[in-house]
Amino acid sequence: LSIFELNEKVIAKSSSSVCIEISPITAKSISEYAILRKSNKFLFMSATICGCNDYVEELGLDPAEVAVLSMNSPFDIAKRKISYIPVAKFSYANREEAFDSIIKTADKIIDIMYQYYGKTVRGLIHSETYGHAEIFKEKSKFSSIIETPRNIRDAIVLTKSKSENLIIASPTIYEGIDFKDDLARFQIIVKVPYDSLTDPLKKYNMKYNSKKYTKEAVIKLVQAYGRGTRHEEDYCMTFILDANFESIL
């Protein structure tokens, strides 16, 4: 895989001689053509903007022409608590040692969930890769109830087809999937979800715009946090085990 910096606006990635993918480094380099020229008023809505000033700058908007309306979540914080348990700093260099410690802690959490909820335990494990999900299933003492779907569709089928104990471990469940009510009462975030540096665009951002690189990890964390609490009466506990979480607080 090679990378070519064509100019300050785009990156071209080539994995073969017949296909080149060109990606904008920032949204503002294409926002005028793709969006802004089509109307004179826009309404942007999201629960995961995570910083309106950065969002405005990213789109290349004039701050003087932007009105921001921010609303508090109607979901009770007591029903969606986060427990930060810094087990180990997960990195490529120490991944095996960190994984063993994290899996042992996760098993203790699942034990507690059994005591708290009774016979039926259903939850999520947000892994960085499919390989990590498989290792989790292999080494956990709860292997028999852990499933490792390869995509969102398979995860949805699993949650709807099984009424007994079930823990979904996968890197595909950070967003775009609804684990409401008893589909998930707890979730474990194994690693702060920084983007892989094997992607040339992500590597470029890490080198020249580390703030954006970190923010994308924060947005992914917020997305994951919302998977199990889907309405005002819903509740789900979230556990973050990667000690690298402190670096983005």
Side-chain angles (χ1 to χ4, degrees), residues 28 31 44 55 141 202 243:
K28 63 185 176 183
S31 60
F44 297 97
Y55 189 79
K141 70 178 185 179
K202 307 305 181 183

Coordinates of all heavy atoms in Angstrom, one line a residue, residues 28 31 44 55 141 202 243:
K28 N -13.6 20.3 4.8 CA -13.8 21.7 4.2 C -13.3 21.8 2.8 O -13.7 22.7 2.1 CB -13.2 22.8 5.1 CG -11.7 22.7 5.3 CD -11.2 23.7 6.3 CE -9.8 23.6 6.6 NZ -9.4 24.6 7.6
S31 N -16.5 20.4 1.1 CA -17.9 20.7 1.7 C -18.6 21.7 0.8 O -19.8 21.6 0.7 CB -17.7 21.3 3.1 OG -17.0 22.5 3.1
F44 N -27.6 20.9 10.9 CA -26.7 19.7 11.2 C -27.1 19.2 12.6 O -27.0 20.0 13.6 CB -25.2 20.1 11.2 CG -24.8 20.6 9.8 CD1 -24.7 21.9 9.6 CD2 -24.4 19.7 8.9 CE1 -24.2 22.4 8.3 CE2 -23.9 20.1 7.6 CZ -23.9 21.4 7.3
Y55 N -16.1 21.3 14.8 CA -17.0 20.9 13.8 C -17.2 21.9 12.7 O -17.2 21.7 11.5 CB -18.4 20.5 14.4 CG -19.3 19.8 13.5 CD1 -19.2 18.5 13.2 CD2 -20.4 20.5 12.9 CE1 -20.1 17.8 12.3 CE2 -21.3 19.9 12.1 CZ -21.2 18.5 11.8 OH -22.1 17.9 10.9
K141 N -13.3 -17.4 30.8 CA -14.0 -18.6 31.4 C -15.4 -18.6 31.0 O -16.1 -19.6 31.3 CB -13.8 -18.6 32.9 CG -14.5 -17.5 33.6 CD -14.3 -17.6 35.1 CE -15.1 -16.7 35.9 NZ -14.9 -16.8 37.4
K202 N -5.3 8.1 8.2 CA -5.2 8.1 9.7 C -3.7 8.4 10.1 O -3.5 9.2 11.1 CB -5.7 6.8 10.3 CG -7.1 6.4 9.8 CD -8.1 7.5 10.1 CE -9.5 7.0 9.6 NZ -10.5 8.0 9.8
A243 N -5.9 1.6 30.2 CA -5.4 2.7 31.0 C -5.0 3.9 30.1 O -4.8 5.0 30.6 CB -4.1 2.3 31.8

